[in-house]
Amino acid sequence: MKQRREKKDSRRIENFRRIENKKLVVTVYVLLRLAVILTMVAQIFNGNYENVFLCILTLFLFTIPSLVEGWAKIDLPDTLEIIILCFIFAAEILGEIQAYYVKFPYWDTMLHTMNGFLCAAIGFSLVDLLNRRGHPSLHLSPFYMAVTAFCFSMTIGVLWEFGEYGMDQLFLKDTQKDTVITEFSTVMLDPTMTNTAVPVEDIADVIIVHSDGTEEALGLGGYLDVGLHDTMEDLFVNFIGAVVFSTVGFFFVRSRGKGRFARRFIPRVMPEDGNLPPEGDEAPVLEGGQPENPGPET
């Protein structure tokens, strides 16, 4: 019993120290959480229980950064943690419930670009943390750390698109937003059946013929592409975000950890006493991820 109490007391002290060092993060967290709760109350009164579920999901997602910190014994930089919280709020509350995905044409593009950047930062951090902790079988050069971060980000982007496609097919949603185009080419209209692409140009409208024979003109001013353009655009901007941070991370490790910008997105290993040094005071990172002057081995 005494040991359990001591463990609980040490956890409380550790959490208190963490909160003391993250006043801005806590302020943003409380404000966003309050906004989500108010939105959830409004959705309950409106009888929209699907949005109520989204609010509950958002509240849970808000706790993930702190859970990861406690589980992995790392400290997420304030900038990274605030961006993650704002990203969750922008995607779930503003994007889905407030319909920003429809009201603002580039809202989804902005989030996917940010997602590519953040996932590259997370992928880079995973390798960097293993290197800093002296994992005997994993010491990658700056180039391979950057490549790993890029591949991690692109993989997450592809899996996200798989999830969107699955939602659209299984639950008849429209997460992969449609695009109106006025021309395309297809081999399906090739009368010679020789795999020759036939261009279809100057498309003015789409006419739906129902099973009872009635026709309905949609008045779109073009052909309705169901998700392909949106998916490729999302993957492309994810690619841009991944390349940007992978490049930043490469030069961060190459310069032995002297870059201030990258430090705002790369987690730090928590010391045993729970007292983090000010950002920038850690031992700089050498090529291969090993800290310079790591101290005597134990």
Side-chain angles (χ1 to χ4, degrees), residues 22 33 42 45 56 70 86 101 105 109 123 130 138 231 277 280-281 286:
K22 290 180 172 291
R33 194 176 182 85
F45 280 109
I56 296 174
C86 292
Y101 288 129
T109 302
L130 290 174
L138 185 59
T231 297
D281 288 355
L286 291 169

Side-chain angles (χ1 to χ4, degrees), residues 185-191 193 196-198:
S185 58
T186 175
V187 298
M188 295 290 291
L189 299 179
D190 176 23
M193 302 295 290
T196 302
V198 176

Side-chain angles (χ1 to χ4, degrees), residues 22-33:
K22 290 180 172 291
K23 292 181 179 179
L24 179 60
V25 176
V26 172
T27 301
V28 174
Y29 174 80
V30 171
L31 291 176
L32 292 179
R33 194 176 182 85

Side-chain angles (χ1 to χ4, degrees), residues 108-122:
D108 186 57
T109 302
M110 177 196 69
L111 292 181
H112 275 279
T113 306
M114 188 183 300
N115 179 72
F117 185 89
L118 290 177
C119 287
I122 294 171

Side-chain angles (χ1 to χ4, degrees), residues 2 20 41 57 64 73 79 93 125 132 145 164 168 178 218 221 243 279 293:
K2 186 177 180 180
E20 281 290 309
V41 172
L57 176 63
I64 290 181
K73 301 298 181 184
T79 303
I93 304 301
S125 300
R132 285 173 178 265
M145 290 181 71
E164 288 188 348
D168 294 349
D178 305 330
L218 300 182
V243 168
E279 291 189 10
N293 300 327

Side-chain angles (χ1 to χ4, degrees), residues 50-65:
E50 182 178 349
N51 287 345
V52 172
F53 171 77
L54 283 177
C55 292
I56 296 174
L57 176 63
T58 303
L59 293 175
F60 170 74
L61 293 176
F62 279 166
T63 64
I64 290 181

Side-chain angles (χ1 to χ4, degrees), residues 10-290:
S10 63
R11 288 177 182 174
R12 290 174 182 173
I13 294 173
E14 182 179 345
N15 291 333
F16 178 77
R17 287 174 177 173
R18 194 174 297 168
I19 291 173
E20 281 290 309
N21 294 328
K22 290 180 172 291
K23 292 181 179 179
L24 179 60
V25 176
V26 172
T27 301
V28 174
Y29 174 80
V30 171
L31 291 176
L32 292 179
R33 194 176 182 85
L34 180 61
V36 174
I37 292 174
L38 292 175
T39 302
M40 183 170 61
V41 172
Q43 296 304 315
I44 291 175
F45 280 109
N46 292 335
N48 195 331
Y49 297 107
E50 182 178 349
N51 287 345
V52 172
F53 171 77
L54 283 177
C55 292
I56 296 174
L57 176 63
T58 303
L59 293 175
F60 170 74
L61 293 176
F62 279 166
T63 64
I64 290 181
S66 60
L67 292 176
V68 170
E69 283 184 317
W71 171 72
K73 301 298 181 184
I74 61 175
D75 175 68
L76 298 178
D78 292 356
T79 303
L80 176 62
E81 197 164 352
I82 290 174
I83 290 178
I84 291 175
L85 294 175
C86 292
F87 177 84
I88 296 171
F89 184 80
E92 300 296 336
I93 304 301
L94 298 181
E96 294 290 347
I97 297 179
Q98 300 298 327
Y100 277 27
Y101 288 129
V102 178
K103 296 177 181 178
F104 301 98
Y106 296 104
W107 188 260
D108 186 57
T109 302
M110 177 196 69
L111 292 181
H112 275 279
T113 306
M114 188 183 300
N115 179 72
F117 185 89
L118 290 177
C119 287
I122 294 171
F124 185 90
S125 300
L126 292 175
V127 181
D128 182 62
L129 289 173
L130 290 174
N131 283 342
R132 285 173 178 265
R133 285 174 169 168
H135 197 281
S137 62
L138 185 59
H139 290 295
L140 300 181
S141 67
F143 175 76
Y144 282 105
M145 290 181 71
V147 170
T148 301
F150 172 80
C151 293
F152 180 85
S153 177
M154 292 305 300
T155 300
I156 296 298
V158 171
L159 293 177
W160 183 268
E161 293 302 320
F162 284 171
E164 288 188 348
Y165 178 78
M167 291 294 292
D168 294 349
Q169 295 299 312
L170 296 176
F171 302 103
L172 298 180
K173 298 294 184 180
D174 186 24
T175 56
Q176 293 179 307
K177 297 297 185 288
D178 305 330
T179 305
V180 177
I181 58 178
T182 58
E183 60 182 8
F184 64 89
S185 58
T186 175
V187 298
M188 295 290 291
L189 299 179
D190 176 23
T192 64
M193 302 295 290
T194 57
N195 199 35
T196 302
V198 176
V200 180
E201 301 174 338
D202 299 327
I203 303 173
D205 199 3
V206 173
I207 298 177
I208 298 178
V209 180
H210 296 279
S211 58
D212 59 358
T214 59
E215 298 182 357
E216 178 185 1
L218 300 182
L220 297 174
Y223 168 71
L224 188 65
D225 167 75
V226 286
L228 175 61
H229 282 256
D230 178 75
T231 297
M232 296 309 299
E233 182 180 279
D234 291 346
L235 291 177
F236 181 71
V237 296
N238 191 102
F239 168 84
I240 293 175
V243 168
V244 169
F245 189 86
S246 298
T247 303
V248 170
F250 170 81
F251 287 107
F252 172 75
V253 179
R254 189 75 177 270
S255 62
R256 300 186 177 184
K258 295 179 181 179
R260 292 185 177 181
F261 179 78
R263 285 186 185 277
R264 298 177 181 271
F265 300 93
I266 298 178
R268 299 180 291 173
V269 180
M270 291 284 292
E272 294 183 0
D273 59 3
N275 293 320
L276 280 168
E279 291 189 10
D281 288 355
E282 310 102 307
V285 180
L286 291 169
E287 292 188 10
Q290 302 180 38

